[in-house]
Amino acid sequence: MTDCIFCKIVRGEIPAKKIYEDEDVLAFHDIRPIAPVHFLVIPKTHIPSMAELQPEHEATMGKVMLAASKLAREQGSTDGYRTIINTGRVGLQEVYHLHVHVVGGPDVLPAMLKR
Ligand code: AMP
Ligand code: ZN
C-alpha cells in the first residue's frame, strides 16, 4: 500500500520514533500521545483493520501482541496499561493499517467508555 502512512514508516520513507523492529513487527511512539506511555505496535504487512484479519495473519498478530506486552514492560508500564485497537467507522479508526495502541500511566487511566 504505497499511500499508507504506516507502510511509509515501515519502509523508512517518513520518520518515526521507533522502539522495536523485527521482520514482522514494528513499534513506535504515537505522534500525539494521550498519556506518558503511548506507543503503537503494527504488523509490517499491510492489514487495513481488525475487520480484514484472515487466518494467515494469525502468527503475525501473535507476534504483535507479544511485542506489545514486552515493550509495555520495557517502557515502564509495570503496573498495567491499556491496549486499544480502533476498528472502522464505529471504532473511529483514523489510520487504516492495523495497529495496537499501548497506553499507560503512571496514573490510573480514565474509564474506558462512559456508560
Ligand atoms: P486510530 O486509527 O484512531 O487508532 O489512531 C491513529 C493513531 O496514529 C493516532 O493516535 C495518531 O496520533 C497516530 N499517528 C498518526 N500518524 C502518525 C505518525 N506519523 N507517527 C506516529 N503516530 C501517528
Ligand atoms: Zn499500511
Side-chain angles (χ1 to χ4, degrees):
M1 283 291 279
T2 47
D3 285 348
C4 168
I5 188 163
F6 287 176
C7 283
K8 287 182 178 174
I9 290 175
V10 168
R11 294 194 299 263
E13 293 169 9
I14 62 170
K17 287 166 67 182
K18 292 182 186 178
I19 53 180
Y20 175 78
E21 181 167 17
D22 63 29
E23 62 178 350
D24 299 309
V25 175
L26 178 65
F28 50 95
H29 292 284
D30 195 291
I31 205 165
R32 286 181 288 138
I34 58 170
V37 174
H38 187 182
F39 63 90
L40 305 175
V41 189
I42 69 170
K44 283 190 168 177
T45 188
H46 182 83
I47 304 167
S49 82
M50 284 286 289
E52 283 81 21
L53 272 183
Q54 300 296 328
E56 72 246 34
H57 299 134
E58 183 175 0
T60 299
M61 290 309 297
K63 291 179 182 176
V64 166
M65 297 310 287
L66 279 172
S69 171
K70 181 167 178 279
L71 294 170
R73 212 160 36 240
E74 289 176 6
Q75 292 293 312
S77 290
T78 52
D79 202 19
Y81 49 88
R82 188 167 294 152
T83 44
I84 302 166
I85 304 176
N86 294 320
T87 302
R89 180 183 67 85
V90 171
L92 284 181
Q93 185 175 359
E94 288 176 22
V95 176
Y96 278 78
H97 181 131
L98 203 167
H99 51 282
V100 178
H101 295 256
V102 178
V103 180
D107 297 333
V108 174
L109 299 167
M112 186 168 67
L113 292 170
K114 292 192 175 128
R115 289 180 196 284

